[in-house]
Amino acid sequence: MRTLVLGGSGMLGRAVVAEARRRGWAALGLSREQGDVRDGGRMRYWMEAFRPEVAVNCAAFTRVDACESAREQAIAVNGEAVGEVVRAAARAGARLVHVSTDYVFDGEARLPYREEAPTGPRSVYGQSKLDGERRALAARDSLVVRTSWLFGPGGPNFVATIVGLIERGTRPLRVVDDQVGAPTYTPFLARALLDLARLGARGVVHYRNGGPVSWYAFAAAIARLWASGPREPAGSVEVVPVKSTEYPRPAPRPAYSVLDVERCELLLGRPVEPWEWGLAEYLSGLRAGRG
């Protein structure tokens, strides 16, 4: 399946390109410089030149706090540009797979959000991504995959941040305990995106890895796995739970943003992977990279 990946130089985009090529699919990943999704002419060029069967849109302005002060840019990239992608894909006869976020929800729920649950983003980032969803769903046979808390090789993420703090000797680590969601390992997500595309899934599907946790619990798991060698004896890194009010941010975060993945599991015919598997693999790669 010929696969064009927009945002192909980002953390998720790289994982999608790698997964497609692992399957023997022709895959082209475009960086922002090569294919800015805001540029309709550039989108048409690449769609017509590569003639993909599926276009996976991983391009996004994901700096949540920065979106608050750069509202126009966030709306342009995460919302309006999706319309350009939709039109270019339609001209080329390509199906669109668009990646969205748990931040389209308000965080007031206490049970995992199903695909049809009412949305209510609390941040500019969430609002702009919801706008992008609506534009993507206007395309025939398109698929929107909402996901959460991404981590993996090739880009900044929470796991890399925690490891960096540990390596710099920051003690204790103070991490919020009143925001609950689900981490997602990008190679696992890439596999799911391409499987869903191959199966012809349409509409909205939720995917995240198994095991909802708070940021604090996730950080504690990272510290426990990373601090297990001779340089960092087990238990040497203290992680302290704190409230979100102690670390005010420009953009409000949903207190609870766990996505229900029942539909995804039925479509794929398998359960979602535990995030612990991805964390172990990612930390192993980080450790090897540090020598």
Side-chain angles (χ1 to χ4, degrees), residues 39-84:
D39 187 336
R42 181 63 63 173
M43 288 297 97
R44 290 191 297 275
Y45 169 80
W46 284 112
M47 293 286 182
E48 293 169 7
F50 188 65
R51 305 302 298 182
E53 296 167 79
V54 60
V56 183
N57 185 23
C58 302
F61 183 12
T62 59
R63 288 180 289 134
V64 177
D65 288 326
C67 286
E68 295 294 311
S69 57
R71 181 185 183 89
E72 290 185 1
Q73 182 181 354
I75 292 172
V77 175
N78 297 337
E80 294 168 354
V82 180
E84 299 291 350

Side-chain angles (χ1 to χ4, degrees), residues 3-7 12 16 54-59 95-99 193-194 197:
T3 305
L4 180 66
V5 183
L6 307 174
L12 177 57
V16 174
V54 60
V56 183
N57 185 23
C58 302
R95 289 189 62 241
L96 175 63
V97 176
H98 178 70
V99 181
L193 289 172
L194 296 186

Side-chain angles (χ1 to χ4, degrees), residues 139-159:
R140 183 172 178 269
D141 295 334
S142 63
L143 171 66
V144 169
V145 179
R146 293 179 182 141
T147 189
S148 61
W149 295 22
L150 300 189
F151 72 95
N157 61 81
F158 182 76
V159 179

Side-chain angles (χ1 to χ4, degrees), residues 68 103-108 120-127 250-255:
E68 295 294 311
Y103 278 38
V104 300
F105 295 112
D106 62 11
E108 298 299 321
R122 301 181 61 218
S123 64
V124 171
Y125 171 68
Q127 292 165 3
R253 268 65 170 174

Side-chain angles (χ1 to χ4, degrees), residues 163-199:
V163 168
L165 290 172
I166 293 172
E167 290 294 288
R168 290 195 293 273
T170 304
R171 304 291 188 276
L173 299 177
R174 299 170 61 83
V175 185
V176 296
D177 193 32
D178 54 1
Q179 296 173 20
V180 175
T184 304
Y185 186 45
T186 49
F188 292 164
L189 173 56
R191 177 189 174 204
L193 289 172
L194 296 186
D195 282 347
L196 289 167
R198 177 179 53 81
L199 292 166

